[in-house]
Amino acid sequence: MTCQITKTSLRTRAASLLGASLLAVATLGVSTVALSGVAMAQETPEEGRQFSAKAGEKVNEALTLANSNQNQAAVSILQGIISDPSLNAYEKSTIYQMLGQYSYQLDRAVEAQQYFENAINAGGLLPDEVGNIKVVIAQLMIGNGQYREGATRLENYLNSGGQQKPQYIDLLVNAWVQAEDYRRALPWAEKWFNTANPKERKHFDLLNFLFNNLGMQGRQADIVKQMINRWPEDKTLWDAWASMLANGGREQEAFEVTKMLYLGGALSEEQDLLKVVQYYSFYDMPYQAAEILEREMNANRIARTPDKLKQLSGLFRQAREYKRAIPILEAAATQSGEAKLYADWGEALYNEGSCQKSEKAFTEAINRGYDAGKSWMLIANCRYDTTNTLDRLNCDMTDAQMAEAPITKARASAIAAFEKVPNGSRERGNARKWIQFINAEKDAVDRRCEFERNVERELCYQKIKQAYDAEVFVGEWVLDDAEVCLQYKEDYDSEFRIKIEE
């Protein structure tokens, strides 16, 4: 929230001001009239500013009815005499004022406005009286929703030397605000603010509203600072301050203000608490963000919805707290039935090396419409990753032992999973590369063992030949390293000795 005041509250206050101001309309009428030749007022009337006996009688009759709240009857009498050609300018102006006053009291503001216009046009009013009537007309226009026209008239009156009463300035500011001409409202609002003694919350709120709408962030910051000093317990002011900092590119300071409010216990609404979470996440503190979100969900101040659970698990995963993310993802997936959440759950299990559980989660994700290619790729990768924990093949093993080794079966299981990646999937090419890689690993072992066996055989062939060559001198056939090389004697003899004998 950037400001306390709103156009709706201003409109309500403007209506109140208008009603209070138009009570003054009654003073524009007459409580009695001066009849020609009969003084009914305490002071002698000025020349031409008196009623004839005929008109005065009707006017006094109307006054009597109005004083007993019979305004419609008073209006009828006055309407009956206003067209009399013998009326002088003063009589016409006075009668039109009375018609305007009583019409307003009958909630006929448009008619009242016209009657007051006629009172001026009749030419029987003194300059001060004309000024007062102009103010009343401006007030009526503002009350009728003619904000700009009414404000212009009232402003012209004040600028031309009219009495600048506080209620006039207040109403003028509200009229310009309702007309959404905040720039014309501002100087009058500042005049209203500066002359107010004591200054109340409404004075600060109005300037805050105008500075905000005019984009005057520096001025608004000054006024909000003053407001915080006066009303430090008002959270909305701190919110406004944080918003201004954020909008001004001072996000870090806005975060500090928000964090201070949270740690001080001033934030309790879900949207405010989520803002705290977002700030911690934005500033690369996912673990702290997750801790706050989980704490507020447990306190029922943030709804435990699938979306919020997903957000919580995502924060724990960003913080590499996969174990804490897993039960949250499980709850989110089972609560929402969303395929993507089952896939996320499977990925979290994959990161923890729980391949069987991960595979079940991914299978459920596939059944609910999630991308089978991505799912089988992660299942296959999880199966392959288990080979890193298994004993490696060695060349001392027989072919049968190699075929039954756990690592051989894990590789075969991974290949089977990679082969399930659909042909139309974007992951199919990567799956083929993985299959080639795993097969290449097996081939590498075979080649290594074959090489080792060939090296051993060649060394033993040399020792067997040396034994045959030395037999003539030592009188017997003696083979070095017989435990290893004796197994190659038959092959050596069949390949070399038989050929010699032939």
Side-chain angles (χ1 to χ4, degrees):
M1 179 182 293
T2 57
C3 55
Q4 274 288 93
I5 199 166
T6 65
K7 280 191 68 180
T8 301
S9 63
L10 284 171
R11 187 178 293 115
T12 301
R13 195 155 65 87
S16 175
L17 285 167
L18 182 65
S21 298
L22 284 172
L23 291 176
V25 171
T27 66
L28 296 173
V30 290
S31 58
T32 185
V33 299
L35 301 181
S36 177
V38 181
M40 297 186 67
Q42 292 181 353
E43 297 180 1
T44 302
E46 299 178 23
E47 176 125 10
R49 289 176 59 82
Q50 58 185 341
F51 275 78
S52 66
K54 177 183 175 182
E57 182 181 349
K58 289 293 184 182
V59 168
N60 282 330
E61 184 181 349
L63 281 169
T64 301
L65 290 168
N67 288 336
S68 62
N69 293 322
Q70 299 182 62
N71 293 310
Q72 182 56 58
V75 167
S76 298
I77 290 175
L78 295 173
Q79 287 175 333
I81 65 171
I82 191 62
S83 58
D84 187 339
S86 66
L87 294 176
N88 61 41
Y90 173 69
E91 289 173 325
K92 286 184 179 180
S93 291
T94 301
I95 292 171
Y96 275 129
Q97 286 183 78
M98 295 172 69
L99 282 167
Q101 175 185 333
Y102 303 150
S103 295
Y104 175 75
Q105 291 173 345
L106 289 167
D107 292 327
R108 299 204 290 261
V110 176
E111 291 181 24
Q113 179 181 328
Q114 187 57 56
Y115 283 133
F116 285 123
E117 295 274 13
N118 293 342
I120 294 175
N121 295 334
L125 300 177
L126 299 175
D128 287 347
E129 294 172 336
V130 171
N132 289 336
I133 294 295
K134 286 183 177 180
V135 171
V136 171
I137 292 171
Q139 292 171 328
L140 284 169
M141 295 180 81
I142 294 169
N144 289 335
Q146 299 170 271
Y147 302 119
R148 182 169 293 278
E149 298 85 346
T152 300
R153 289 205 182 196
L154 186 53
E155 188 174 68
N156 289 340
Y157 166 77
L158 296 175
N159 286 335
S160 62
Q163 188 177 3
Q164 296 192 2
K165 296 181 180 180
Q167 63 267 34
Y168 290 171
I169 296 176
D170 193 358
L171 184 60
L172 178 58
V173 172
N174 278 277
W176 283 129
V177 169
Q178 296 303 326
E180 298 186 357
D181 196 335
Y182 304 125
R183 199 158 295 282
R184 290 187 73 170
L186 181 58
W188 295 104
E190 290 179 317
K191 181 186 289 288
W192 183 60
F193 180 89
N194 292 332
T195 57
N197 187 21
K199 289 179 174 56
E200 301 176 29
R201 180 63 182 265
K202 63 182 180 181
H203 299 103
F204 290 91
D205 281 340
L206 180 59
L207 286 185
N208 185 20
F209 174 85
L210 291 174
F211 289 145
N212 177 63
N213 281 278
L214 289 170
M216 302 171 71
Q217 293 182 350
R219 301 284 303 275
Q220 186 184 11
D222 290 339
I223 206 71
V224 171
K225 281 183 181 178
Q226 293 181 49
M227 295 173 75
I228 288 175
N229 288 333
R230 284 174 174 253
W231 300 284
E233 75 287 350
D234 190 338
K235 185 183 75 68
T236 60
L237 294 174
W238 290 97
D239 287 343
W241 180 238
S243 295
M244 280 185 287
L245 290 172
N247 294 334
R250 297 158 65 183
E251 285 285 354
Q252 182 67 48
E253 293 175 69
F255 173 39
E256 293 301 325
V257 172
T258 303
K259 181 167 65 174
M260 178 184 67
L261 289 172
Y262 176 69
L263 296 176
L267 303 182
S268 59
E269 298 297 323
E270 181 174 293
Q271 62 180 6
D272 294 329
L273 297 171
L274 289 174
K275 185 188 297 183
V276 177
V277 173
Q278 290 166 357
Y279 265 126
Y280 274 96
S281 177
F282 179 80
Y283 284 103
D284 201 22
M285 291 183 276
Y287 182 79
Q288 291 87 336
E291 288 275 282
I292 293 171
L293 181 55
E294 185 174 49
R295 179 167 58 248
E296 297 303 336
M297 288 172 67
N298 291 337
N300 296 319
R301 298 206 295 180
I302 293 179
R304 199 177 184 83
T305 62
D307 284 345
K308 299 299 186 303
L309 290 170
K310 181 179 179 181
Q311 181 183 7
L312 178 59
S313 66
L315 290 169
F316 274 130
R317 289 161 69 197
Q318 288 177 39
R320 292 178 173 79
E321 292 284 337
Y322 299 112
K323 287 184 178 179
R324 294 186 67 174
I326 288 171
I328 297 166
L329 277 171
E330 181 180 5
T334 54
Q335 184 176 335
S336 69
E338 185 181 332
K340 178 63 168 61
L341 286 176
Y342 275 99
D344 291 341
W345 179 26
E347 186 175 352
L349 289 165
Y350 160 76
N351 287 322
E352 283 299 301
S354 300
C355 288
Q356 291 185 344
K357 292 180 180 180
S358 173
E359 189 166 329
K360 288 181 180 179
F362 277 120
T363 300
E364 188 63 36
I366 294 170
N367 292 339
R368 292 174 182 269
Y370 190 72
D371 190 324
K374 291 181 180 179
S375 299
W376 278 112
M377 279 295 291
L378 285 172
I379 291 171
N381 273 287
C382 197
R383 291 181 180 181
Y384 175 77
D385 288 346
T386 60
T387 62
N388 294 324
T389 64
L390 301 175
D391 292 336
R392 316 305 292 176
L393 298 175
N394 65 78
C395 297
D396 292 333
M397 301 170 70
T398 65
D399 290 342
Q401 288 174 326
M402 286 187 176
E404 291 299 317
I407 192 171
T408 302
K409 293 183 177 181
R411 284 171 174 161
S413 177
I415 289 174
F418 280 123
E419 287 176 343
K420 287 188 178 182
V421 174
N423 288 327
S425 172
R426 294 180 180 178
E427 300 291 341
R428 185 59 186 170
N430 290 330
R432 290 195 189 97
K433 291 177 182 178
W434 269 105
I435 292 171
Q436 293 172 359
F437 173 76
I438 296 171
N439 284 329
E441 280 189 321
K442 179 180 181 301
D443 292 342
V445 173
D446 291 341
R447 287 194 299 272
R448 176 168 57 81
C449 291
E450 181 63 25
F451 174 78
E452 289 182 6
R453 283 194 291 269
N454 288 339
V455 170
E456 183 180 80
R457 183 173 58 249
E458 290 299 323
L459 289 174
C460 285
Y461 275 9
Q462 291 180 18
K463 292 178 179 180
I464 292 170
K465 180 178 182 300
Q466 290 173 355
Y468 278 120
D469 292 342
E471 184 178 11
V472 176
F473 302 102
V474 298
E476 60 180 335
W477 191 79
V478 179
L479 178 63
D480 291 339
D481 204 2
E483 291 183 359
V484 175
C485 294
L486 191 60
Q487 60 180 318
Y488 295 108
K489 183 176 183 301
E490 183 177 349
D491 291 338
Y492 179 88
D493 289 346
S494 64
E495 186 172 354
F496 297 105
R497 297 293 292 176
I498 295 174
K499 290 179 181 180
I500 293 173
E501 291 176 357
E502 290 176 352

